[in-house]
Amino acid sequence: MARTAFLTDATVCIGCKACEVACKEWNEVPDDGMVWSGFSYDNTKSLGASTWRHVLFLEQPSVAGPQIADTKDPFRWIFLSDVCKHCANAGCLEACPTGSIVRTEVGSVFVQPDVCNGCGYCVVSCPFGVIDKRPDDGRAFKCTFCYDRQKAGLIPACAKACPTQSIQFGDLDELRLRGRNRVQELQERGYKDARIYNPEETSVGGIHASFVILGEPEAYNLPPAPEVPTVYLKSAWTSALVSAAILVAIVCAAFAF
Amino acid sequence: MKSPSKPKATEERLDEIREAALKAGSAQGPQTGESYYGLPVLKAPVWTWEVPLYFFLGGISGVSACIGFIAQLFRSDPAFVRVCFWIALIGASICPILLIADLGRPKRFLNMLRVFKLRSAMSMGAWILVAFSNCAFLAVLCFELILRGLANPFLISLLWLLEGSAAITGLLLASYTGVLIGATAVPVWSQNRELLPAHFLTSGLGGSAAILELAGFLIPATQVLGFVASGIETLIEIFLEVRKRPVDVPLHHGRSGKALRIAGLLEGPAALLVRAFLGASHTGRYAAAVCFLLGSLLSRYAWIWAGRASAEDPHALFNLQRKV
Amino acid sequence: MAENHPVGFQWVMEAKEQHGAKVIHVDPRFSRTSAVANIWVPLRAGSDILFLGALIRYVLENELFFREYVEHYTNASVIIPEDFKDTEELGGIFSGWNAEKKSYNPESWLYEGVERDGRTQQTAPGGTQGGHAQHGASVSPNLNNYKQDRTLQHPRCVFQLLRKHFARYTPEMVEQYCGLSKDAFLHAARTFCEASGPDKTGAICYALGWTQHSSGVQMIRCAAILQLLLGNMGRPGGGILALRGHASIQGSTDVPTLYDILPGYLSMPKFGEESKSLADYIAKYGARTGWWNNLDKYIVSLLKAYYGEAAQPENDFGFHWLPRITGDHSHQGYWLDMLDGKMDGLFVMGQNPAVAGPNSGMERRGLGKLKWLVVREMVETETASFWYASPEVKRGELKTEEIQTEVFLLPAAGHAEKDGTFTNTQRLLQWRQKAVDPPGDCRSENWFMYHLGVILKQKAKRDPRPRNAGLLALTWDYSTEGKHQEVVAEEILQEINGRTTGNGELMQGFTSLKADGSTACGCWIYSGVFPKPGENRANERASRDFHGHGWGFAWPSDRRVLYNRASARPDGKPWSERKKLVWWDAENKKWTGNDVPDFVATKPPDYQPPENSVGDAALAGDKPFILHADGFGWIWVPVGLNDGPLPAYYEPLESPVRNPLYPKRQSNPVADKKTRPGNEYATSPDPKFPFVLTTYRLTEHHTAGGMSRTLPHLAELQPEMFCEMSVELAEQLSITPGQWVTIVTARGAIEAHALVTPRMQMLAIDGKPVHQVGLPFHWGYSGLVKGDIGNDLVAISEEPNVRIMETKGLLCNVIRGKRETNLQAIRDLRPEKG
């Protein structure tokens, strides 16, 4: 099977949260707490074990491209549906010691819930802060890319529900091309700060769920230069082995007296 | 409105964030600036109290095996070697229980052995612990059998092999935990990934020597190891105090900063000075040993707390990556 | 629209992103629609007619109107009698005002030349007038007797009167009193006007931001005038889309749950001369010319559907069995009766007045005056639990033991558990199939009403009083199926579609209906939805063109754009190739095109009606608006509205400023404030209530929250009640973002979190800062997430034509802190409440 992907476009998102609800309904994800945040209309706040699509609400003191809003100071309200990035080099997958997290034939990163024993290592290995452990269940959960739906020839629930096609689903290469074209079109229309978020040049190697955003990734809590933590292994193990060698020398010296 | 599934901290944390936003700019509600409402990007570690305790015990028991093996190499008192490996065995018995207890699904602990993944420090750690536990157990078994008069060339060779294996796997056990947290997305951990294995190993060394002293082995070797360990810890403490990278804020501020400083002082200068000035007497050595052990234990907790604080700070991540 | 019709909004996004359409959003708050619009202009809640009137003036002064369209298709050229006086001449009222009755005699609004026979006398508000059927089902038989000036120059032609009427609605006035900048106004006006003409069209979409006002109908009238001037009515991509308040509420006015209309927008008869006999009724509501001449066919067919064999020519087809309106039986009308102890019982089905009603606190008290209350719901709503869980009971103001109402809570089936149709905002009937059986004792509305009817009819058999004759005569013979004996819903749809009474054959459409009792039809506008056995057109799901033909059934007769004759020129050719919709096929001598023509198919464009024609034959071939007796689109409404032939600007019932245009007429003189203890008003302006309050909805919740605050996946999206205020207001009141605040009006006080945001703008009105505070109205005291009830703050008031309440553009005050910490402050603001 070809690799499938998401392209989520903030510029046509209307913040309706149908994606959040459709995902939860299909995947039987429990509610994530009834806490009012005061952060615009976002009471979901972040992805997590029980939130696999999260709509962000950015209120920013700048103009959205050519939009005219009759306000005293420039202003815009941007929405974006965040999701697991299904990284080409996935921190969670590399870290998983049970082999629960695997790469599927559609290129997604999938947690097998019957294998996961809740060790929590994936949680600190995700450079995007996506995967988390569900406290009352014990296992780690994240977006499954609706693997069950894809196997049955359907599209993911969030993409299906999105009324404005902000969430697009399809072939990875095609969507990457579409994303680039969209950004170019937006720039031509006056959205000078439109960009694609798809960190291909870092060790993550590109993500299968890319985004069209306006402005800096930090405003969306997207890391500007995410790394897959396996890049840290070499220097850490080197330090461990060198330190161990030194320790052996010290202990030998202590007993050589 | 509190939800039963979310901890109380969440509502209070939101109030904190709103207060901070308010201080940042008049009465305006939180707006996204450099981060998304100051909310964390990364997920905080979910490990509970068992894990730092495991780091502590694993360090001691791992290094104990190494000490025991090298002691035997240099023909030390067999009673000493025996205790070293018993410490290794006791540690190796408790450690798996701690780890299993920390799992979300403890009954599935054997799934740790489904794969052997060099790229996963935790996978390596699971196998290291299995190997170490088995070697320590078998080494002690052989040792006890030999002590009870079943010595024969095969058993003695086996003993050497097992002790050697326990020593090697023990060193890995004591140091891999530094790699474990160093090779994660948590900024304060990943940016200290060379320091951590060295520090955990040193801490294990001093801790092992301290346990041996408390067990009654107030021999020159343990004194030397005690001095060296607390000496290195002192240098580490000075290094941490002097180096002031933004990513290291949790090492100096907040609960984790305070704890780490106290731990560093206990493991380092305090243990060193007590041993230097009072180490001649038994009480002095006991005091230095206890000092070190307390610091060593606290240090593990402090590093985990630092990881939590670091993961919850979006600016730590952004500052790091914007420099890149 | 993005907030409340997100799925429908995808077409707006598609138009914008793929076809370059411009989206202009006018709203007091910057909502999710504003975020993706090309232009957003803020507006002081309630000042819409000033804004819209200025747009009309802009079109007129800049000669941007679609001349040919206006001349031929609207009554712009019609001449109005000399004794008509405009609001500009009378300081804010039209001619015919009766100060004592607080109503108009609208005879001077009729066209010159039309006979005045005294039948157009309006009754006072609070009387029996209900406006939903006052569509110009003309009460004057000779409305077609007008005089015209096709040059539009005559000083008393509608066009010139329009000019004079809106002359003072200038961009400067808009800037000063609506709160948006002149530049923004002109930009929006220019953009919208550019999207009109032969090659382009623009649409206006509105929702409750217009309807829930004391001049709501007149706001919509402004849009109608604009669209007629710009030539957008009856054309693809044009028109006015009324975005209804929730799913299938269009259906609940088509086959109505409203007190003043019968299915298909026929009028409910009123007690009096007009309804002594069927002939009187038809004389009153039928029209000599235009399509409503067919009224007799529709009312008779409806009566045959109701009463079957018992309805015969000899007994006026059972007309006297229909109830008569004797007063204000609207929601607010009867609720006040309820409060006065005049009602015994109430069925509440699929509605939650304890939260959604205006002055909901007062409405909850009203519930306690009933002897019995039946609530049919899927969950225990606030209406069902008022007697023990309402704030009044919790605060000790009412005691459960003292509430005598016997409450029956009956479980209802959900929408996937029953067959039926939805009719949504675009007049589209869509069949829904039952997917699962309802659980336990839950039953559908059809089941409930049917079996209740069976029991009542059985009781009526034993009770020979004349009052039961109608009940006994009702046809009530649906088939039932399944273990629950559920009504076969398709039979109801077939009854609505209509049958010939002789052989029971299904009707093909309403043009086949007769007034002689040979046809029966439950709702004439729906006729054609089920033309053959097995052909349920509401269940079709194969769309074959971009208008959607083949998907569902749009009444009437699957016309997707009403009045689409106007999409062609007077000569029958399309205005442009780009915007062609229907046109005259000269060869085959019929109208054809991409939509079902909303016109008699064989009437040629150059048809001239012979002398003394009646009905549709009395309308020429260039008159698209066939339901009007004159066939014109009405820029001027000669008959049917209670508060004027043209929209005049009035401030809302509570306002921070005096009416700048008509200082002597602050608010709509015909609106009924229903002032009484418990339903007080602030003064305009009022130093105690300095801020403008508007209420609205969020995407995440549905109306009173019964269906959303009870579901965890929706409840968690917006868990708590909040109010939105500007940064400036928060600073002024020292309010920390997120903290609890108390919002007080003359009716009530509630608490909410303060969401401080630049999306609410401080406006400069008449040189002074005016703050607006916004409140979603979704919360109540049951469900997974609870909160104070926004509508406790709203007054019970009635717009003159349709009796709807004003929920936006009220006055309020905001105090820091939770309600219980502010009790003294609340008392100070409302001393009369104690």
Side-chain angles (χ1 to χ4, degrees), chain B residues 217-229:
Chain B
F217 292 99
L218 299 166
I219 54 177
T222 51
Q223 179 83 293
V224 167
L225 292 177
F227 263 116
V228 171

Side-chain angles (χ1 to χ4, degrees), chain B:
Chain B
M1 281 282 152
K2 300 236 180 0
S3 142
S5 54
K6 269 281 192 258
K8 233 182 183 334
T10 313
E11 179 86 80
E12 282 155 12
R13 172 91 183 110
L14 290 175
D15 283 334
E16 276 174 43
I17 292 171
R18 281 188 223 125
E19 278 295 319
L22 177 66
K23 285 198 188 75
S26 72
Q28 190 157 9
Q31 276 195 347
T32 61
E34 212 211 65
S35 71
Y36 187 66
Y37 300 112
L39 290 166
V41 175
L42 301 173
K43 290 287 178 276
V46 297
W47 299 317
T48 45
W49 62 269
E50 291 96 340
V51 169
L53 185 59
Y54 156 74
F55 286 8
F56 173 71
L57 291 176
I60 288 171
S61 48
V63 176
S64 276
C66 178
I67 291 174
F69 177 72
I70 292 176
Q72 186 164 293
L73 211 53
F74 283 91
R75 298 175 216 290
S76 292
D77 173 16
F80 177 74
V81 174
R82 181 181 181 228
V83 170
C84 283
F85 280 99
W86 267 102
I87 290 172
L89 175 59
I90 290 168
S93 309
I94 298 174
C95 284
I97 295 171
L98 289 172
L99 286 188
I100 291 169
D102 175 72
L103 289 176
R105 288 288 177 103
K107 291 206 189 90
R108 295 183 179 183
F109 70 93
L110 280 175
N111 285 357
M112 289 303 206
L113 304 179
R114 282 178 87 250
V115 298
F116 178 84
K117 225 179 190 175
L118 285 166
R119 291 182 321 283
S120 164
M122 185 171 277
S123 175
M124 297 302 296
W127 287 104
I128 289 168
L129 182 60
V130 165
F132 176 73
S133 309
N134 287 322
C135 290
F137 171 72
L138 292 170
V140 166
L141 185 65
C142 281
F143 205 101
E144 293 301 317
L145 287 174
I146 289 170
L147 273 186
R148 276 149 185 75
L150 275 118
N152 66 64
F154 169 71
L155 210 54
I156 290 169
S157 309
L158 187 61
L159 180 66
W160 277 103
L161 183 65
L162 291 168
E163 286 180 346
S165 306
I168 292 170
T169 54
L171 285 175
L172 289 173
L173 181 68
S175 61
Y176 98 91
T177 48
V179 179
L180 180 77
I181 61 174
T184 62
V186 178
V188 78
W189 288 349
S190 69
Q191 299 310 300
N192 284 293
R193 60 188 179 276
E194 285 113 347
L195 175 67
L196 280 165
H199 162 58
F200 283 179
L201 213 46
T202 310
S203 199
L205 177 68
S208 176
I211 293 282
L212 286 164
E213 285 186 313
L214 290 171
F217 292 99
L218 299 166
I219 54 177
T222 51
Q223 179 83 293
V224 167
L225 292 177
F227 263 116
V228 171
S230 53
I232 297 174
E233 286 297 338
T234 304
L235 289 174
I236 290 175
E237 175 61 20
I238 293 170
F239 173 65
L240 283 178
E241 290 293 336
V242 160
R243 183 188 65 172
K244 289 241 189 266
R245 301 178 305 183
V247 73
D248 294 317
V249 158
L251 303 179
H252 303 113
H253 299 281
R255 176 168 83 139
S256 53
K258 286 198 194 71
L260 197 65
R261 182 166 291 136
I262 294 172
L265 290 171
L266 284 170
E267 273 186 302
L272 184 66
L273 292 170
V274 167
R275 194 175 290 279
F277 291 110
L278 304 172
S281 72
H282 289 194
T283 334
R285 283 180 75 166
Y286 289 148
V290 168
C291 217
F292 192 94
L293 282 170
L294 287 174
S296 177
L297 180 63
L298 184 61
S299 173
R300 302 305 201 284
Y301 282 92
W303 273 102
I304 296 297
W305 295 336
R308 187 163 297 146
S310 180
E312 285 176 355
D313 179 6
H315 301 284
L317 188 72
F318 293 149
N319 288 339
L320 203 58
Q321 296 187 359
R322 271 297 173 210
K323 271 194 324 217
V324 168

Side-chain angles (χ1 to χ4, degrees), chain C residues 525-639:
Chain C
I525 50 177
Y526 279 24
S527 191
V529 67
F530 217 125
K532 287 203 260 302
E535 192 181 324
N536 180 348
R537 297 190 64 189
N539 204 15
E540 285 169 9
R541 290 293 184 272
S543 180
R544 55 178 184 270
D545 59 33
F546 75 85
H547 293 291
H549 293 110
W551 185 290
F553 177 86
W555 68 261
S557 307
D558 208 23
R559 295 172 171 117
R560 301 290 162 141
V561 179
L562 279 179
Y563 309 120
N564 54 30
R565 161 71 181 90
S567 68
R569 304 150 63 94
D571 67 6
K573 299 198 185 58
W575 289 110
S576 68
E577 180 64 24
R578 188 172 180 269
K579 288 283 176 176
K580 68 181 185 188
L581 186 60
V582 302
W583 54 87
W584 175 251
D585 177 355
E587 205 181 298
N588 292 307
K589 295 215 180 346
K590 65 181 178 64
W591 287 92
T592 183
N594 297 331
D595 193 10
V596 176
D598 193 11
F599 208 62
V600 169
T602 49
K603 184 195 281 189
D606 56 0
Y607 169 81
Q608 286 302 319
E611 196 76 24
N612 292 319
S613 313
V614 294
D616 185 75
L619 299 180
D622 65 347
K623 296 285 179 288
F625 296 89
I626 57 177
L627 272 94
H628 287 159
D630 52 11
F632 282 131
W634 282 357
I635 289 178
W636 175 281
V637 173
V639 64

